Amino acid sequence: MTHALAAAPAARTGRDSVGLLRLYRAELRWIFRRPRTLAVLGLLALIPVVIGTALTFVDSSETSGGRDGALLASAVNNGFILPVAALTMTLALLLPLASAMAGADAIAGETAHGTLRGWLIAPVGRGRLLAIKAFGVATVSVVAVLAMTFTGFVTGLIISGADSMFTLTGSTLSVWDALGRLLVVALWITLQLWAVGAVALAISSFTEHPMLVVASVLAGTIVFTILGFLDAVSWLHPFLLNKDWAQAPAAVLMDPLDTAMLGEGALRAACYIVIGLSIAYARLTTRDG
């Protein structure tokens, strides 16, 4: 009897895991069948290729205007800096757009199409429903960042060669060292996009208009950027999600690697993820359609 009672929770846990995995696969099929999702991911993957190709036709002195210009100037004939520069530039708007779109479609989009009600009246817990949606949004973010990292690294290798991997401080890197640093910045940027996706899910749970979610997230990003330039509200800067988006990725370009800014940004993003998913869960548990 004791063994039977002990085996029952384990069997339920196993069935729950299989059911969760099945729902996750179904969610991924739904996500990656959307033409706009594939279009956005394809365009993001092409950006490093376009930047790398364009840099082969310009002199480094012609790309020295501003922070992005300086980073692009450093990317000339440097296959390691190219993917970091592409990721940093798109983190300002395009990468958050991909996460915002995924979060908007996850709940608001299904509400508009009438498919979310089927989830809500089905014998599926609201927490499990939110987990499936969150995993789907997170997967889109991972694919977007990895696609850009891969195409940027390959483009850098093709254009500049494997001997062109060096940091801004002049240290030469092996291909594997460069890949390790790129993985660090890719993981950090992915975490920031997960935070954006969590906020999008929270907003998405209150509306049935996906474009409203996307507009709200992008407007919030722009407002946060403006606030970051205002010294009068400097007390608010540590709480802005995109506070270090323009500087932190460049930490992997230095030797030794400066992890302080990366750690602070990761902690800030984790707080946004917890708050965003908590709001979304609270809303889902109180709605019936």
Side-chain angles (χ1 to χ4, degrees):
M1 177 67 70
T2 303
H3 292 295
L5 292 175
R12 284 196 300 270
T13 302
R15 289 194 298 270
D16 290 344
S17 300
V18 172
L20 191 64
L21 183 60
R22 185 183 299 111
L23 291 173
Y24 175 60
R25 288 199 300 264
E27 180 71 10
L28 290 186
R29 286 194 297 269
W30 175 255
I31 290 174
F32 290 103
R33 285 177 179 174
R34 297 186 188 118
R36 59 178 172 272
T37 300
L38 298 178
V40 169
L41 293 177
L43 290 174
L44 287 173
L46 282 176
I47 288 176
V49 180
V50 173
I51 293 175
T53 304
L55 289 178
T56 62
F57 297 102
V58 300
D59 184 78
S60 61
S61 61
E62 300 176 9
T63 57
S64 57
R67 183 184 296 111
D68 290 340
L71 197 58
L72 285 177
S74 301
V76 177
N77 299 321
N78 190 332
F80 170 54
I81 296 181
L82 174 60
V84 178
L87 286 168
T88 303
M89 293 174 61
T90 52
L91 183 58
L93 187 63
L94 295 181
L95 281 173
L97 173 63
S99 294
M101 286 178 55
D105 288 332
I107 299 179
E110 292 210 22
T111 301
H113 289 91
T115 54
L116 184 67
R117 183 170 180 81
W119 282 88
L120 296 177
I121 64 177
V124 178
R126 303 299 171 90
R128 178 179 293 189
L129 169 61
L130 179 60
I132 293 300
K133 298 300 181 181
F135 287 153
V137 174
T139 301
V140 172
S141 302
V142 171
V143 172
V145 174
L146 290 183
M148 290 195 66
T149 303
F150 175 77
T151 58
F153 187 70
V154 171
T155 301
L157 282 178
I158 294 174
I159 294 176
S160 304
D163 296 331
S164 66
M165 306 290 176
F166 49 88
T167 65
L168 291 179
T169 53
S171 302
T172 302
L173 300 174
S174 68
V175 172
W176 295 112
D177 289 337
L179 279 174
R181 290 181 179 235
L182 285 177
L183 180 61
V184 170
V185 73
L187 290 175
W188 187 86
I189 291 178
T190 299
L191 187 61
Q192 306 305 308
L193 297 185
W194 286 352
V196 174
V199 173
L201 284 173
I203 301 174
S204 186
S205 64
F206 286 91
T207 181
E208 60 181 26
H209 303 290
M211 290 306 300
L212 177 61
V213 179
V214 175
S216 298
V217 172
L218 295 185
T221 302
I222 294 172
V223 170
F224 277 19
T225 301
I226 295 174
L227 291 175
F229 289 115
L230 301 179
D231 293 333
V233 291
S234 58
W235 57 271
L236 187 61
H237 293 175
F239 303 99
L240 302 179
L241 176 60
N242 61 350
K243 174 179 179 292
D244 296 323
W245 281 6
Q247 297 89 11
V252 301
L253 304 176
M254 310 302 292
D255 195 17
L257 180 65
D258 183 9
T259 59
M261 191 179 298
L262 292 173
E264 180 183 346
L267 178 61
R268 187 183 301 112
C271 292
Y272 271 83
I273 292 172
V274 172
I275 294 173
L277 293 183
S278 298
I279 294 175
Y281 178 74
R283 172 57 180 162
L284 286 178
T285 54
T286 57
R287 63 183 296 175
D288 55 3

